[in-house]
Amino acid sequence: MNFGSDNASGVHPAIMDALAAANQGHASGYGRDPLTEEAVERVRAVFEAPRAEIFFVGVGTASNALALAQLCPPFGRIFCHRGAHIETSESGAPGFMAGGAQMALIDGADGRVTPAALNDALATYPQDDEHDGLNAVLSLSNATEMGTVYAPERIAPLTAIAHAQDMAVHMDGARFANAVASTGASPAELTWRSGVDALSLGGTKDGCMALEAVILFDPDRARHFSFRRMRAGHLWSKHRFLAAQMLAWLDDELWLRLAGHANAKARTLSHELTQISFAEILNPVEANEIFVRLPQRRIEALRKGGLRAADWPMPGDSDTRMTIRLVTSWATTEAEITALVAALRR
């Protein structure tokens, strides 16, 4: 019953096979190999963005931090949801990579930013003169840290506000595949067609071994990014192994099938939990995360029985009822869901 994180799942066999195939023979390093050239073109095709600049890295924090540093000057400010991963879980990496950029936090239900909340946050930081610092970037997470998603009609009003303030828009897409599978929108519709300037695309949570990509849709915004990646130590020498993963992940829409499986298992588990009187689901289940409040004694019993799940303190918790996060993945089985539900019913 491992629902601790989609990072805990293994590598999908098709990805592993692609890595083994890429391991044959020799290839030029640092992205100067045929597989990387092919993978870049494949990403451009999937996003219907032939001019986009694509840069592969191995971890999500690097993808987020480098993308934000590219968009935000050292004297700039990055606006994001209070619960965003770049604020809570990256040890200040975006500000560090940007040379001192500040974070401005926005509250919002279910992990999402609304136009009203964004306008209120911007009003808190007026742009009267150089003493104020520069409002530089809006960062949105899709899917969010609370398991909800932004459809295009939620994204476009936010990007319009940001662009009217001469700000760039970044999207943390560690679970972007889950958002695409959930909304049914195309990758283009969820990004540049809705006003997103840069995407940190994540494959590691969706069946890959180590695969993230920074996508800068306007090539002018990509100027000197290759130097930034090199300086930060995130240019892989054996780059073909990143490219091989990307090609296999996108092939025949594997990435969406894996994310769709994870989303479907979350819906199944969520439905089962709603049938248990003492289980309280706290947010809409739109991707592959469930936040459920349970009696503390039940949580302890589940853990003794083998459950892996993260504690996730939420407003309304008490000494006797606590919230945990359950995350499904491409590898989640029906048997794991059945076992968890049966353990709760005992």
Side-chain angles (χ1 to χ4, degrees):
M1 296 188 296
N2 196 323
F3 297 93
S5 173
D6 34 12
N7 280 324
S9 61
V11 178
H12 188 273
I15 305 294
M16 197 67 82
D17 289 346
L19 286 166
N23 197 42
Q24 304 304 308
H26 295 76
S28 298
Y30 304 107
R32 299 176 180 89
D33 61 277
L35 279 181
T36 296
E37 293 178 6
E38 183 182 354
V40 166
E41 290 304 320
R42 185 76 60 83
V43 173
R44 286 173 174 157
V46 165
F47 281 85
E48 304 172 67
R51 297 177 66 245
E53 294 289 349
I54 320 295
F55 302 88
F56 301 143
V57 294
V59 295
T61 296
S63 181
N64 280 333
L66 290 171
L68 288 165
Q70 186 73 8
L71 299 175
C72 186
F75 46 84
R77 191 174 289 112
I78 300 164
F79 289 78
C80 67
H81 191 278
R82 185 174 299 277
H85 199 271
I86 61 172
E87 163 63 16
T88 66
S89 304
E90 295 187 348
S91 262
F96 173 77
M97 290 291 192
Q102 300 175 3
M103 307 294 285
L105 307 183
I106 309 171
D107 292 311
D110 303 330
R112 286 184 286 231
V113 174
T114 65
L118 175 57
N119 278 322
D120 288 345
L122 290 170
T124 304
Y125 297 95
Q127 301 287 271
D128 295 330
D129 58 34
E130 67 272 18
H131 294 86
D132 298 322
L134 181 69
N135 295 340
V137 183
L138 169 65
S139 182
L140 304 171
S141 301
N142 205 16
T144 74
E145 290 299 294
M146 301 307 296
T148 54
V149 300
Y150 290 93
E153 58 267 24
R154 286 183 180 269
I155 300 169
L158 296 169
T159 63
I161 293 170
H163 289 158
Q165 299 281 333
D166 200 26
M167 296 167 60
V169 179
H170 163 259
M171 181 170 283
D172 177 353
R175 295 186 175 95
F176 184 76
N178 301 92
V180 175
S182 176
T183 62
S186 72
E189 290 167 338
L190 283 181
T191 54
W192 64 269
R193 283 187 180 150
S194 293
V196 173
D197 299 299
L199 171 69
S200 295
L201 174 64
T204 307
K205 296 180 186 295
D206 190 40
C208 295
M209 177 178 287
L211 176 65
E212 314 288 323
V214 175
I215 304 176
L216 295 154
F217 294 102
D218 180 352
D220 289 340
R221 291 190 182 274
R223 182 174 172 81
H224 299 321
F225 185 90
S226 58
F227 294 93
R228 187 182 300 279
R229 179 178 58 171
M230 182 71 233
R231 181 177 182 268
H234 284 287
L235 174 60
W236 280 33
S237 56
K238 296 188 178 182
H239 201 276
R240 57 177 157 157
F241 294 102
L242 294 174
Q245 291 178 78
M246 182 62 78
L247 288 167
W249 190 51
L250 297 180
D251 189 42
D252 196 26
E253 295 192 334
L254 176 64
W255 68 306
L256 298 182
R257 288 187 282 116
L258 298 183
H261 174 90
N263 291 357
K265 293 306 179 188
R267 290 194 300 270
T268 298
L269 179 54
S270 173
H271 173 75
E272 293 294 335
L273 291 173
T274 62
Q275 310 305 305
I276 298 174
S277 61
F278 54 80
E280 179 187 359
I281 294 176
L282 301 185
N283 299 311
V285 179
E286 297 176 351
N288 66 322
E289 295 178 278
I290 303 168
F291 296 82
V292 58
R293 183 177 289 137
L294 296 168
Q296 181 66 28
R297 61 183 179 83
R298 296 277 188 172
I299 296 173
E300 292 171 358
L302 289 171
R303 288 207 163 105
K304 288 179 181 177
L307 174 68
R308 296 288 183 88
D311 290 328
W312 211 273
M314 296 281 282
D317 287 354
S318 67
D319 291 340
T320 58
R321 288 180 62 81
M322 301 293 293
T323 301
I324 58 173
R325 184 190 72 167
L326 304 171
V327 186
T328 55
S329 77
W330 72 269
T332 299
T333 65
E334 198 68 28
E336 288 178 291
I337 293 174
T338 300
L340 174 56
V341 173
L344 273 172
R345 293 187 182 280
R346 281 199 289 270

